[in-house]
Amino acid sequence: MNIAIRYFSKFGHSAMMAEVVSQVTGVKAETVETPITEPVDVLYLGSGVMLGKISKEMTTFIRSLTPDKVKCVVCFGSCAIIKSPVPQMRKLLEAQGIKVDERSFTCKGSMGPLHAGHPNKTDLENLRAFAKQIG
């Protein structure tokens, strides 16, 4: 199975999370600046939320994807105020005709003193367990 990991991280939360997925899968995590050039079966895609929205960089990356290059996406991310970045990612991915796995992972992300220290060790261990379930 071909796997790729891409993320956008402004404050390091998604990068930290992508590294956990990398450790589980044995696949190098790369930023959304690195395009998907070869077909992948599973793309792990990680994002945070700024001012209630996923980043412009993540949106641009998602719009560059095609179903012939990406069979399925597994979303992960963190956020401080809204519930999850996943619905925004899912909407864009499905608009591209790309299947999105029903399973996703979201944890708290710190924003100043709000949820300070997140993602924390427990969040990352939960992500590790989630990634192992996906395979």
Side-chain angles (χ1 to χ4, degrees):
M1 177 166 42
N2 260 351
I3 297 172
I5 305 166
R6 296 293 188 277
Y7 66 93
F8 179 80
S9 190
K10 185 165 181 115
F11 298 108
H13 303 147
S14 296
M16 196 178 354
M17 296 173 76
E19 185 53 37
V20 169
V21 176
S22 175
Q23 291 168 5
V24 170
T25 61
V27 174
K28 181 181 176 187
E30 300 182 84
T31 69
V32 294
E33 293 175 358
T34 304
I36 299 292
T37 57
E38 299 294 321
V40 296
D41 298 310
V42 176
L43 170 62
Y44 285 89
L45 193 57
S47 180
V49 177
M50 290 291 300
L51 303 172
K53 296 182 179 180
I54 61 173
S55 70
K56 170 181 56 174
E57 292 86 349
M58 179 58 72
T59 299
T60 299
F61 177 76
I62 289 172
R63 288 185 175 143
S64 76
L65 300 175
T66 59
D68 62 316
K69 292 278 185 187
V70 179
K71 282 188 181 176
C72 184
V73 174
V74 175
C75 299
F76 65 92
S78 66
C79 51
I81 297 174
I82 69 170
K83 187 176 178 183
S84 173
V86 173
Q88 293 176 48
M89 296 164 70
R90 177 182 302 280
K91 183 177 178 181
L92 290 169
L93 288 159
E94 289 175 346
Q96 293 296 111
I98 297 171
K99 179 182 180 231
V100 181
D101 198 302
E102 289 300 317
R103 300 167 292 179
S104 64
F105 182 88
T106 302
C107 67
K108 292 177 183 170
S110 62
M111 184 175 78
L114 185 62
H115 307 304
H118 285 273
N120 62 21
K121 183 177 179 179
T122 301
D123 297 328
L124 298 177
E125 285 305 315
N126 289 339
L127 175 58
R128 182 179 311 281
F130 170 78
K132 285 180 181 178
Q133 282 181 334
I134 300 293

